[in-house]
Amino acid sequence: MIVRLMGEGQYRIDEQLREQLNELDGRAATAIDQNDEPALDDLLDEMWQLVRQRGEQLADDELSGSDVIIPPSDLTLEETKKLFSDEGLIPDLPAR
Amino acid sequence: MAGLLERMSLVIKSKLSKLLDRAEDPAETLDYSYEEQLKLLQNVKRGIADVTTSKKRLQLQADKLEQSLVKLDTQARDAVAAGRDDLARQALERKTLAQRQLQDLDVQIQQLEGQQEKLTTSERQLSAKIEAFRSQKEVIKAQYSAAEAQVRIGEAATGIGEQMADTGLAIQRAKDKTELMQARAGAVEELIEAGTLEDFTAGDQSQLDRELAQISAGQQVDAELERIKAEVGAGAGQKELER
């Protein structure tokens, strides 16, 4: 599975790490629901660390999309929430 | 994994597929997409230049503050030597203020450096992906039928689209940071102009400068007076001998 650390790059991760991230992801969802920004930031930092340590970084010219995208912990809770919605912090892709 | 993070990836993919569904001619879509990628690459380059300019401006201010620290320290010493503790205190108060400003500036400069690094990484990745996309699009245009091409385009577009979104966000965040810092830098410059921090950078003499100048002028006058008195006294002695 391919993971993107936003603003840093893409990594390929194994099944074991995927399960670990899955668990942290569940807790991150709870933190967001409870508006608990410190807890969310800690969880995101933990995910980043795991991916950096155990993932294999993809080459810059790799054109694969990612299965999962992990935002950085220095966004505000509101910004992070927006990332998960359709309007998105992520700018609209150019339409013609 | 149907969690939050997957949702983010899905948001991007759905935006992309909406875009691709609209396209009737795959070759045209590819070329159009490539042009957009090049525009974004120009944007990220401009973003790097802006961050660099802002950083330089802050560094210039920091240099000025460093110089004023030295100057204020010298002034405090001169004042103490002249027995004017009140002036020394004023100089030291300003020095403390300047030191605090300098610490703030250092933090801001570091933050801009972080943004600069992120944008540079993003530029490198985007540039490599654009190059890969360019060669792939030529292959797709040359070798596949329209139906097959659509599938291949989808694959290539996902990777590049995601990178474009990521780079776009990096540019936005760097821009927000840079604007904030520029506003702060402007505020410090206004303070300097208003005279609140006059001594830090202004060429004009501050009140402190003037008083210190008076002290040293006073000392010079005293010394000169002593010298003249001594000469005159010696002259008078001479005359008495001649008589």
Side-chain angles (χ1 to χ4, degrees):
Chain A
M1 183 170 93
I2 297 174
V3 175
R4 170 179 289 275
L5 298 181
M6 268 179 83
E8 175 152 318
Q10 291 172 293
Y11 291 80
R12 195 181 303 282
I13 61 164
D14 60 22
E15 187 58 27
Q16 200 194 357
L17 183 52
R18 195 187 99 113
E19 275 165 26
Q20 248 174 302
L21 288 180
N22 206 356
E23 195 258 327
L24 292 169
D25 186 31
R27 283 163 56 194
T30 311
I32 288 183
D33 287 343
Q34 295 174 344
N35 287 323
D36 188 348
E37 193 168 335
L40 176 66
D41 289 348
D42 285 347
L43 287 162
L44 290 174
D45 282 340
E46 199 176 336
M47 289 191 243
W48 271 63
Q49 229 172 357
L50 284 170
V51 173
R52 273 178 174 165
Q53 275 169 4
R54 300 198 351 231
E56 178 203 340
Q57 194 156 18
L58 292 192
D60 286 345
D61 62 357
E62 178 84 47
L63 281 177
S64 314
S66 309
D67 301 287
V68 155
I69 298 176
I70 309 183
S73 64
D74 62 350
L75 295 175
T76 65
L77 189 65
E78 286 313 306
E79 285 174 321
T80 309
K81 276 184 185 171
K82 274 192 197 162
L83 280 179
F84 299 117
S85 73
D86 265 335
E87 307 114 81
L89 246 196
I90 293 173
D92 263 325
L93 291 157
R96 349 189 28 179
Chain B
M1 182 157 162
L4 281 172
L5 308 176
E6 198 178 37
R7 215 147 81 207
M8 276 191 53
S9 154
L10 292 176
V11 167
I12 293 183
K13 282 186 183 125
S14 87
K15 280 188 179 178
L16 275 168
S17 67
K18 265 184 227 156
L19 186 70
L20 292 173
D21 283 348
R22 247 181 292 169
E24 281 167 17
D25 177 5
E28 208 182 305
T29 311
L30 285 172
D31 290 336
Y32 172 73
S33 170
Y34 181 63
E35 277 166 34
E36 290 301 317
Q37 292 159 26
L38 292 179
K39 268 190 222 162
L40 186 63
L41 191 61
Q42 285 311 309
N43 272 347
V44 76
K45 284 185 186 186
R46 211 173 306 136
I48 293 172
D50 287 347
V51 171
T52 310
T53 308
S54 289
K55 204 179 80 182
K56 276 192 191 140
R57 184 177 176 193
L58 293 187
Q59 273 165 341
L60 217 63
Q61 281 194 350
D63 288 349
K64 282 182 181 172
L65 279 173
E66 291 272 13
Q67 286 165 15
S68 76
L69 285 183
V70 176
K71 185 182 163 197
L72 288 166
D73 195 68
T74 311
Q75 286 181 334
R77 281 167 195 280
D78 289 351
V80 169
R84 293 289 306 272
D85 280 11
D86 58 326
L87 288 183
R89 186 171 293 279
Q90 266 189 48
L92 292 177
E93 275 164 8
R94 286 194 185 170
K95 191 181 157 189
T96 309
L97 191 60
Q99 269 168 334
R100 224 173 289 149
Q101 289 274 359
L102 191 61
Q103 280 165 2
D104 284 354
L105 273 180
D106 284 342
V107 172
Q108 289 172 25
I109 289 168
Q110 268 175 21
Q111 283 178 354
L112 284 183
E113 227 149 66
Q115 293 297 326
Q116 197 181 11
E117 266 171 42
K118 276 184 191 156
L119 282 184
T120 308
T121 305
S122 209
E123 187 213 344
R124 195 195 66 224
Q125 290 169 345
L126 180 65
S127 171
K129 282 186 167 58
I130 289 175
E131 191 45 40
F133 182 86
R134 192 188 61 81
S135 46
Q136 203 145 330
K137 97 183 158 80
E138 293 314 317
V139 172
I140 293 171
K141 283 204 293 196
Q143 297 184 355
Y144 294 94
S145 69
E148 282 171 322
Q150 199 72 6
V151 177
R152 302 267 163 177
I153 290 168
E155 287 165 6
T158 308
I160 192 88
E162 193 184 295
Q163 181 66 47
M164 287 171 80
D166 198 331
T167 301
L169 187 64
I171 295 173
Q172 189 53 50
R173 298 192 76 203
K175 211 176 140 199
D176 291 348
K177 268 258 157 53
T178 310
E179 275 168 9
L180 189 71
M181 305 271 169
Q182 275 176 342
R184 279 195 205 152
V188 171
E189 268 155 32
E190 261 174 45
L191 273 180
I192 290 168
E193 270 168 36
T196 317
L197 298 174
E198 57 185 335
D199 204 25
F200 296 167
T201 54
D204 291 346
Q205 280 199 330
S206 66
Q207 180 65 24
L208 189 59
D209 281 325
R210 276 194 293 275
E211 287 202 45
L212 283 165
Q214 274 165 15
I215 289 175
S216 100
Q219 283 168 343
Q220 209 178 330
V221 169
D222 287 347
E224 191 110 17
L225 193 62
E226 285 305 313
R227 191 176 55 78
I228 292 171
K229 272 187 187 168
E231 274 177 21
V232 172
Q238 197 83 30
K239 274 178 190 157
E240 259 166 41
L241 280 179
E242 279 167 14
R243 213 176 268 168

